[in-house]
DNA sequence: CCCTTACATGAGCATATATTCATATACTTT
DNA sequence: AAAGTATATGAATATATGCTCATGTAAGGG
């Protein structure tokens, strides 16, 4: 394999460091999958929605009311989460109930919450 | 406190569900902190950068070369991560070395990687 | 002091994102 | 079938984001 060091800065001094880091790189598809997952959690609205839907099943309008959002906004975000298979829905009459039983997302969110709660305390500066 | 149910849909049938979910809501500042943290991981470039900087210390140009990016793009993202105190830097001559020793970010990223590796296997649907 | 190297940063641009508004669809009731 | 309720969705809009290009700043060498 060819490792280009044409435009190497540092006079190419650290080519070993670059090679080392390069060998440990994450595969591109993995990186994309990862960023996609984190992106789902990278918005206040979606965090609130998921936190609710992890707690219990809710129909769209109840979710909208609980969050003080319009039905349309909630529905658009639900479509987003549905596309990523993060939430599921079931129909009952003309209401549609959503849930989130995605263990991965739940784990990441919970870990984030735990971290955020502790943060600020050990911000040594 | 007043719980509005003016524009309650479902004829206000699920007001208990709404109240329940409302009582368990995350505090706004926490939600914002959370989304900020996840946002840092919600971009392929930053994931790659952080993965490198968790592995070892790198100067800007080496990071740029390892990732096949311009120095400017890397520098902009480093500023972003620096502002969030996710990465640290130290100067040595006219090179500036960056590292990421943020345990929270490292934890989230690792958890995401683990999950992403297993995913696809149990995609029953 | 001038030049080079390494990094930072502001402006501009193209794209992505989150919401709103209007409207379409699916189901229920009469 | 017609009307009502709950949800979905397309278009439009405002803002955010990530990159490039040009330039500014800090440290080192002659």
């Amino acid at each position: 394999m060819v490792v280009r060091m044409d435009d190497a800065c540092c006079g190419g001094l650290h080519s070993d460091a670059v090679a080392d880091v390069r060998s440990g790189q994450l595969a591109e598809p993995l990186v994309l999958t990862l960023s996609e997952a984190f992106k789902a959690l990278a918005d206040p609205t979606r965090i609130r929605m998921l936190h609710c839907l992890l707690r219990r099943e809710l129909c769209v309008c109840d979710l909208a009311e609980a969050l003080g959002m319009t039905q349309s906004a909630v529905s658009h975000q639900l479509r987003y989460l549905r596309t990523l298979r993060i939430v599921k829905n079931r129909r009952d009459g003309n209401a549609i109930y959503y849930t989130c039983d995605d263990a991965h997302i739940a784990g990441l969110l919970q870990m984030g919450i735990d971290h955020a709660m502790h943060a600020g305390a050990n911000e040594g500066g």
Side-chain angles (χ1 to χ4, degrees), chain A residues 25-108:
Chain A
Q25 290 270 73
L26 297 172
E28 270 311 285
L30 175 59
V31 171
L32 293 180
T33 300
L34 268 175
S35 68
E36 198 174 61
F38 285 122
K39 212 171 286 190
L41 292 165
D43 177 74
T45 292
R46 285 194 294 273
I47 288 179
R48 283 189 283 261
M49 290 176 60
L50 289 171
H51 187 250
C52 288
L53 295 177
L54 281 167
R55 187 184 177 90
R56 68 182 292 168
E57 185 184 61
L58 286 171
C59 69
V60 178
C61 67
D62 284 348
L63 189 54
E65 187 179 335
L67 271 51
M69 298 175 55
T70 67
Q71 174 268 317
S72 182
V74 169
S75 206
H76 276 292
Q77 293 291 7
L78 284 173
R79 175 171 58 169
Y80 177 97
L81 295 171
R82 217 174 32 203
T83 301
L84 294 178
R85 295 173 176 272
I86 290 176
V87 299
K88 296 177 183 173
N89 58 4
R90 101 186 144 80
R91 171 152 233 148
D92 179 25
N94 51 10
I96 297 187
Y97 292 87
Y98 279 82
T99 45
C100 172
D101 58 354
D102 186 317
H104 295 174
I105 291 296
L108 287 175

Side-chain angles (χ1 to χ4, degrees), chain A residues 2-44:
Chain A
V2 176
V3 178
R4 74 195 163 113
M5 34 186 62
D6 318 307
D7 33 292
C9 66
C10 312
L13 282 180
H14 311 141
S15 50
D16 57 332
V18 173
D20 170 40
V21 164
R22 271 217 182 111
S23 70
Q25 290 270 73
L26 297 172
E28 270 311 285
L30 175 59
V31 171
L32 293 180
T33 300
L34 268 175
S35 68
E36 198 174 61
F38 285 122
K39 212 171 286 190
L41 292 165
D43 177 74

Side-chain angles (χ1 to χ4, degrees), chain A residues 115-125:
Chain A
H115 285 174
M117 305 266 251
H118 290 315
N122 50 0
E123 284 282 343

